[in-house]
């Protein structure tokens, strides 16, 4: 056993010695404005953004499950005014990207299970038969 301890001590000593080695510093400099390339994407129109949303398969499936065909939705988007199309596109961009909420429900259920398990182990409750309270 002392041989293993001595080997581990040697390895730890070597690691500590290498941990203190100097690391080359990063070099920073100012960049002149004439060297900066400005590559901003051209802003897509609100109608093009809405049309790209309606072309997605998951959006079409969601619309059809609610009784609206994709062609009807495209016709309604085409009939919108410019301001209304911009408002609708901005609303789509501001909505949270999530799911059906099933994932949140699973996390909530796991959290409740964990809290009940901890309180069972601590002896405050007796919900699960497979736990023994700590003394």
């Amino acid at each position: 056993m002392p041989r293993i301890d001595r080997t581990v001590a040697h390895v730890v000593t070597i690691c500590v010695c290498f941990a203190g080695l100097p690391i080359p510093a990063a070099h920073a400099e100012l960049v002149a404005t004439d060297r900066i390339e400005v590559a901003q994407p051209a802003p897509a129109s609100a109608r093009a953004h809405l049309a790209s949303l309606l072309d997605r398969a998951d959006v079409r499936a969601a619309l059809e499950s609610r009784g609206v065909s994709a062609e009807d939705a495209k016709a309604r988007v085409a009939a919108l005014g410019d301001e209304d199309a911009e408002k609708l596109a901005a609303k789509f961009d501001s909505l949270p990207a999530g799911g059906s909420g099933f994932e949140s429900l699973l996390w909530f259920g796991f959290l409740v299970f964990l809290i009940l398990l901890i309180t069972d182990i601590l002896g405050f409750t007796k919900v699960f038969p497979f736990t023994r309270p700590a003394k």
Side-chain angles (χ1 to χ4, degrees), residues 60-124:
R60 279 192 303 237
L63 285 172
E64 288 174 2
S65 70
R66 289 172 175 77
V68 179
S69 69
E71 292 78 25
D72 290 341
K74 286 182 182 180
R76 289 179 186 178
V77 167
L80 288 175
D82 290 336
E83 287 183 22
D84 294 331
E86 289 176 12
K87 286 180 186 177
L88 187 59
K91 186 174 182 180
F92 272 114
D93 289 338
S94 68
L95 289 175
S100 60
F102 183 69
E103 296 86 10
S104 300
L105 184 64
L106 284 177
W107 279 109
F108 180 72
F110 177 72
L111 182 64
V112 168
F113 169 76
L114 193 61
I115 290 171
L116 288 175
L117 183 67
I118 291 171
T119 57
D120 264 9
I121 291 172
L122 293 175
F124 297 129

